Amino acid sequence: MSRSVFSSHSHRYRRGQRGGIPPWLWLVFAAVLVVADRLTKLAVTANMQLNEDFPVLGPFLHFYYLRNSGAAFSMFQNLSYGRWILVGFTVALVCVCVWVLLAGKMRTRLGNLALTLIVAGGVGNLIDRVRHGEVVDFLYVKIINFAIFNVADSFVVVGAVLLCLSFLLQEEWGRR
């Protein structure tokens, strides 16, 4: 019988499981990541002009300063209320992730790390969206002509991949 990646709070933390990381510490880490995201965006806006392209690693990686009022690949950009759809969705997602972290429901460190990255990325972009109605994007993988994104976007994507991996690994371990 396979066990879920979620466990009760009492199982993980009241028994003093060795090596367990307290839930609040994950949120402190998320806050540090939000600060890192904010600093990168401030550095770009202070040192680059809108639509400026600056090669960082030759043809591979460029800083290309854009502002995006939509979501990934500019979805919702042309909707007058798109900003608020994205704000509402982000607030809901961050609240669920924070609840799971604080309740100690995730059984694995990988799953907790994934949720932490999703929270940090969500909050990083939420700050921009609420304050300015758009986010600062600047990371451009030019060699594959990939979308221009930011550090917070990276946190969300990596967090989502790690969360899926956590669920897959837990399912695999449960079969053994």
Side-chain angles (χ1 to χ4, degrees):
M1 181 172 156
S2 102
R3 292 174 54 179
S4 169
V5 294
F6 296 108
S7 69
S8 72
H9 183 275
S10 61
H11 171 72
R12 273 197 79 141
Y13 298 104
R14 289 190 186 151
R15 286 197 207 163
Q17 178 183 6
R18 287 182 70 186
I21 298 172
W24 62 267
L25 202 52
W26 292 108
L27 294 180
V28 170
F29 183 48
V32 169
L33 294 176
V34 169
V35 169
D37 172 64
R38 300 300 308 149
L39 290 175
T40 61
K41 290 173 180 173
L42 288 171
V44 166
T45 57
N47 296 297
M48 294 182 73
Q49 298 295 318
L50 196 59
N51 296 315
E52 183 179 349
D53 183 2
F54 178 78
V56 178
L57 293 174
F60 299 104
L61 178 68
H62 284 221
F63 285 171
Y64 192 106
Y65 174 26
L66 290 178
R67 291 186 168 268
N68 180 4
S69 62
F73 306 106
S74 300
M75 290 187 307
F76 302 116
Q77 189 166 13
N78 296 325
L79 293 176
S80 61
Y81 52 87
R83 167 188 185 182
W84 300 111
I85 290 172
L86 295 171
V87 165
F89 176 76
T90 303
V91 167
L93 179 65
V94 167
C95 286
V96 168
C97 291
V98 167
W99 175 80
V100 171
L101 282 168
L102 288 178
K105 297 289 184 183
M106 190 60 70
R107 286 187 55 223
T108 66
R109 285 186 184 159
L110 183 61
N112 284 322
L113 175 61
L115 292 174
T116 300
L117 290 170
I118 293 168
V119 166
V123 170
N125 280 339
L126 184 64
I127 291 168
D128 280 350
R129 222 173 279 294
V130 168
R131 289 182 69 203
H132 307 291
E134 57 193 6
V135 297
V136 171
D137 286 335
F138 61 93
L139 295 170
Y140 179 36
V141 183
K142 191 167 187 169
I143 194 163
I144 59 173
N145 196 24
F146 191 68
I148 300 171
F149 55 100
N150 60 46
V151 174
D153 296 336
S154 301
F155 292 157
V156 171
V157 170
V158 170
V161 169
L162 291 179
L163 188 61
C164 291
L165 184 61
S166 173
F167 285 127
L168 290 172
L169 289 174
Q170 191 62 36
E171 182 67 28
E172 183 62 32
W173 291 332
R175 288 185 188 147
R176 292 181 184 174

